[in-house]
Amino acid sequence: MASGAVDRSLLLSPLPGSIPEATRIWDLRRRTTTGTLPGSVGAVTSHPDGDLLVTERGQAYRMPAGTRLPSVRSPGKSTALAFSPDGDHLAVGDGSGRVVLWDGKLDRRLGVLADPDTTTYQYVSALAFSADGRTLAVAGDEGTLQLWDVPSRRRIGSSLVTPGDTVRALAFGPDGGTLYAAGDHAPLQTYEITPDHAARTVCRRVATGLSRDDWNRYVQDIAYRRSCPKH
């Protein structure tokens, strides 16, 4: 299931192999089916403006007419999909662990997010953009969870620690400082991901910040200042 434009509709898509293979568009106010998309199964996602629908099979439809876009504007088959809240980007995860970024109208492919340190490939199981669209959370089927900076297409820090369960759903809190992850078996996980929280966590673990000697060795271009407050 997925929400349609401004929550006026609900998209009901069957699992692959179901009969019939068609996504139903359910009008929430009228409580009735207003259209179907034949051949559309599996995960679906809707552009925030409600004028574009993309499926995990790589099909793209112009809504509300349900007109299918040409194959040159298809993002290809995927294992996870997500539009940014502002509609500027579409993230498409695949079976190799990569995430391809498209512009929000599928006019062009913008780049690929791929971990150069990956040695065993796992499929992307869930995706979520922060409210400002600048951060993308990417989950893998072996329980990995990584944050990416969308403008620079670089990883943000190391992977977040998870129970190892396949992450099926991701969501950012409204302020972008909290990330929620849900899996098949593990309870809901909550992550505080603001830089201030990360700094406080490091300082709590190491008890003291960098000494002047360490600062001069690692942070040479900035005048020394205490990196962890006194307790």
Side-chain angles (χ1 to χ4, degrees):
M1 296 187 293
S3 296
V6 288
D7 297 329
R8 291 194 301 264
S9 60
L10 187 65
L11 307 171
L12 304 173
S13 180
L15 293 173
S18 301
I19 299 175
E21 289 193 339
T23 294
R24 288 189 296 146
I25 303 169
W26 182 268
D27 188 299
L28 294 175
R29 290 173 296 183
R30 296 164 55 189
R31 300 185 181 182
T32 185
T33 298
T34 58
T36 60
L37 302 175
S40 171
V41 296
V44 296
T45 188
S46 177
H47 190 278
D49 292 342
D51 60 351
L52 185 63
L53 179 72
V54 183
T55 77
E56 69 174 25
R57 282 187 170 180
Q59 302 146 323
Y61 298 89
R62 181 66 61 201
M63 303 300 290
T67 305
R68 188 168 173 179
L69 273 61
S71 59
V72 293
R73 296 181 64 186
S74 167
K77 291 184 178 181
S78 63
T79 57
L81 297 160
F83 276 106
S84 60
D86 58 11
D88 287 347
H89 296 92
L90 171 67
V92 180
D94 65 22
S96 71
R98 302 184 317 160
V99 177
V100 178
L101 286 178
W102 288 73
D103 78 289
K105 297 301 181 181
L106 296 183
D107 290 323
R108 64 189 187 282
R109 200 169 93 155
L110 303 177
V112 178
L113 307 182
D115 188 347
D117 299 326
T118 297
T119 55
T120 59
Y121 290 103
Q122 52 184 301
Y123 71 83
V124 177
S125 59
L127 296 165
F129 282 94
S130 59
D132 62 6
R134 296 182 61 85
T135 303
L136 178 67
V138 179
D141 70 301
E142 295 179 4
T144 58
L145 182 53
Q146 179 68 55
L147 298 178
W148 290 81
D149 180 70
V150 175
S152 67
R153 299 168 202 158
R154 294 181 178 178
R155 289 186 299 171
I156 301 175
S158 57
S159 298
L160 300 176
V161 178
T162 74
D165 189 23
T166 298
V167 177
R168 297 296 183 186
L170 293 169
F172 281 89
D175 62 355
T178 306
L179 176 66
Y180 302 95
D184 285 333
H185 308 291
L188 179 70
Q189 304 294 303
T190 303
Y191 301 90
E192 299 294 334
I193 56 175
T194 61
D196 287 344
H197 178 81
R200 290 195 302 270
T201 300
V202 170
C203 288
R204 186 170 62 249
R205 291 175 179 175
V206 302
T208 60
L210 293 174
S211 67
R212 287 186 178 273
D213 289 341
D214 288 338
W215 185 281
N216 292 333
R217 184 178 301 116
Y218 300 115
V219 196
Q220 300 172 354
D221 298 329
I222 302 175
Y224 175 78
R225 62 174 180 268
R226 184 178 294 277
S227 52
C228 288
K230 291 183 177 180
H231 296 286

